[in-house]
């Protein structure tokens, strides 16, 4: 007998959560999206383009492109590869490429990376449909809103259980964004969410391997597929998120459903996006900032320290706790190794820092044995404290909070433009081409379509 009774995840007497999200996405007018939210979406698009272009020569991108962009006809751009393919494959390859360097933006609410599942789905669909720049930005805002709101409801158990939220929640974000861009009604959007939910996957045991960015690509492709199938009438349980044996019941042990966007005047979730300026797991950023500040303030170096203790939230135990990395990719997920490199003055924003040679450098291998990590569930997830005992007997203490979104958007655009130039100029063939792309994205809201941008980054 089928189980039809509602799960505890569905608030008694309320409109089912899946329907709430679907109705909102289908009825959201472009004028309902604030200029501020659209500006943030432009920033997210710029950062996405930077990290995707910078990854054009990554082995995992080549593997996926060779597998998926060879025999599949299509008009959708594979970024940086000079190829085109089908919408679903373009979303997959570009989504994985965007997360390949682990240099893409993050969301505290989502507990993952909000842009990489959404933008690849939106751009692939926009190329096919000829969508305007404003429609593209609106779809990005809607997709990020959905995945981040669901992230808040999943709380910590989903991530702690081993699920990579970028892969699982990202499916919903991509589905909402694609549904909106396709103009699906609420009923079809609910089915798209259901189709996305049944594909939601991504295991944290694969952090430090090619599979982690693959999660982002699959989320983008799966969410796009969900919307396309829903548009054709594909059936699915329209209460998949909250029903018994649905997404929340099966994958989220402490899910608490709340009303979706109860205050329509509240800032959008995209306005809380956190951008990366170190090319490593975001859970290491507060530590890196604290170590770099102590190094600069007290003029210390790797040779001066006797022992270091890093105090972080327990979440870091599951995503950046590789104690003894052997590859450059694993270094991105190693608090201990990154700490000693930062103390040595290594530029952790530079992509060339993350090499196998640095992972296996004898001075760093020896020094990281004198670094301890203390995990504490009571700590704020975005705040890290560092205690360094020096050989001269002094003890230095530093702390950093990397959980606050930028207040000065002009300054943020400048920093993201600098980041774009630093990591994307090479793949594009020079700083002049970089400036062209930056200027194109800056004006994207008024663009009649996405063709000009995709030609520049293809």
């Amino acid at each position: 007998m089928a189980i039809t009774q509602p799960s505890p995840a569905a608030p008694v007497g309320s409109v089912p959560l899946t329907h709430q999200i679907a109705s909102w996405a289908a009825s959201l007018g472009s004028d309902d999206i604030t200029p501020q939210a659209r500006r943030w979406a432009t920033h997210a698009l710029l950062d996405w383009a930077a990290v995707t272009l910078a990854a054009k020569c990554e082995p995992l991108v080549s593997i996926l492109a060779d597998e998926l962009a060879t025999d599949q006809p299509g008009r959708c751009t594979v970024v940086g590869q000079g190829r085109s393919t089908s919408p679903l494959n373009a979303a997959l390859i570009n989504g994985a490429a965007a997360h390949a360097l682990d240099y893409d933006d993050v969301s505290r609410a989502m507990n993952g990376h909000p842009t990489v599942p959404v933008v690849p789905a939106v751009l692939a669909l926009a190329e096919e449909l000829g969508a305007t720049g404003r429609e593209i930005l609106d779809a990005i805002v809607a997709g990020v809103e959905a995945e981040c709101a669901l992230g808040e409801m999943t709380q910590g158990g989903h991530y702690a259980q081993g699920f990579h939220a970028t892969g699982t929640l990202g499916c919903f974000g991509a589905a909402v964004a694609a549904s909106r861009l396709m103009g699906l009604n609420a009923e079809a959007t609910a089915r798209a969410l259901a189709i996305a939910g049944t594909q939601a996957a991504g295991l944290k045991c694969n952090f430090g391997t090619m599979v982690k960015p693959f999660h982002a690509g699959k989320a983008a492709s799966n969410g796009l597929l969900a919307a396309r199938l829903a548009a054709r009438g594909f059936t699915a349980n329209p209460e998949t998120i909250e029903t018994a044996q649905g997404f929340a019941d099966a994958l989220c042990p402490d899910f608490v459903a709340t009303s979706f966007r109860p205050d329509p005047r509240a800032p959008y979730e995209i306005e809380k996006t956190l951008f990366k300026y170190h090319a490593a797991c975001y859970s290491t950023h507060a530590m890196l900032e604290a170590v770099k500040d102590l190094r600069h303030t007290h003029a210390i170096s790797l040779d001066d320290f006797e022992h270091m203790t890093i105090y972080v939230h327990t979440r870091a135990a599951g995503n950046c706790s590789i104690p003894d990395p052997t590859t450059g990719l694993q270094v991105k997920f190693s608090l201990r190794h990154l700490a000693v490199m930062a103390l040595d003055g290594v530029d952790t924003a530079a992509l060339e820092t993350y090499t196998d040679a640095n992972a296996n450098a004898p001075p760093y291998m020896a020094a990281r044995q004198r670094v301890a990590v203390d995990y504490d569930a009571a700590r704020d997830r975005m705040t890290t404290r560092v205690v360094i005992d020096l050989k001269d007997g002094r003890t230095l203490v530093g702390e950093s909070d990397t959980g606050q979104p930028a207040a000065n958007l002009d300054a943020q655009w400048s920093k993201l433009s600098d980041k774009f130039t630093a990591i994307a100029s090479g793949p594009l063939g020079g700083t002049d081409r970089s400036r062209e792309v930056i200027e194109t994205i800056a004006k994207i809201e008024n663009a009649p379509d996405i063709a000009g941008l995709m030609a520049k980054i293809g």
Side-chain angles (χ1 to χ4, degrees), residues 17 23 54 70 105 118 133 183 206 237 248 265 293 299-300 312 326 333 336 364 376 422 438:
L17 180 58
S23 296
T70 302
D105 59 29
V118 171
N206 284 300
N237 187 330
R265 298 164 300 178
D293 183 63
I300 59 173
V312 294
T326 58
F333 304 95
R336 298 201 317 162
Y364 298 149
D376 181 2
I438 293 169

Side-chain angles (χ1 to χ4, degrees), residues 371-389:
V371 178
V373 183
D374 187 299
Y375 302 103
D376 181 2
R379 292 195 66 79
D380 181 82
R381 289 193 289 118
M382 297 293 187
T383 302
T384 297
R385 182 162 62 97
V386 174
V387 177
I388 302 177
D389 297 318

Side-chain angles (χ1 to χ4, degrees), residues 217-234:
K218 285 294 288 182
S221 184
N222 289 346
L224 176 55
L225 176 62
R228 294 172 73 92
L229 292 178
R232 293 178 180 275
F234 210 84

Side-chain angles (χ1 to χ4, degrees), residues 77-287:
T77 303
V78 181
V79 173
Q81 302 298 314
R83 305 185 191 186
S84 60
T85 186
S86 67
L88 296 179
N89 286 346
L92 196 161
I93 299 167
N94 292 335
H99 196 44
L101 301 174
D102 220 282
Y103 211 174
D104 50 301
D105 59 29
V106 300
S107 163
R108 183 172 187 144
M110 183 185 175
N111 211 357
H113 302 262
T115 298
V116 288
V118 171
V119 165
V122 169
L123 294 186
L125 189 57
E127 284 193 278
E128 187 178 51
L129 300 179
T132 68
R134 180 163 176 148
E135 290 170 337
I136 288 162
L137 296 178
D138 290 351
I140 293 170
V141 172
V144 170
E145 189 72 18
E147 65 191 5
C148 289
L150 286 172
E152 290 274 21
M153 297 180 205
T154 63
Q155 303 191 77
H158 179 69
Y159 195 81
Q161 194 159 295
F163 292 107
H164 184 198
T166 304
T168 55
L169 300 175
C171 281
F172 295 111
V176 165
S179 295
R180 176 180 172 76
L181 202 56
M182 294 173 71
L184 300 189
N185 63 23
E187 185 274 332
T189 302
R191 285 188 285 108
L193 284 165
I195 299 166
T198 209
Q199 299 177 89
L203 300 175
K204 284 164 58 185
C205 66
N206 284 300
F207 281 17
T209 76
M210 293 181 184
V211 175
K212 184 175 189 279
F214 182 65
H215 294 163
K218 285 294 288 182
S221 184
N222 289 346
L224 176 55
L225 176 62
R228 294 172 73 92
L229 292 178
R232 293 178 180 275
F234 210 84
T235 63
N237 187 330
E239 298 179 5
T240 287
I241 295 175
E242 69 279 353
T243 196
Q245 297 188 342
F247 175 80
D249 198 25
L251 275 68
C252 311
D254 50 2
F255 192 93
V256 176
T258 58
S259 295
F260 178 78
R261 199 164 169 76
D263 181 1
R265 298 164 300 178
Y268 286 88
E269 286 293 334
I270 200 166
E271 299 173 52
K272 304 172 188 176
T273 303
L274 303 169
F275 294 100
K276 285 188 173 186
Y277 302 104
H278 302 282
C281 177
Y282 201 77
S283 293
T284 69
H285 285 213
M287 176 277 294

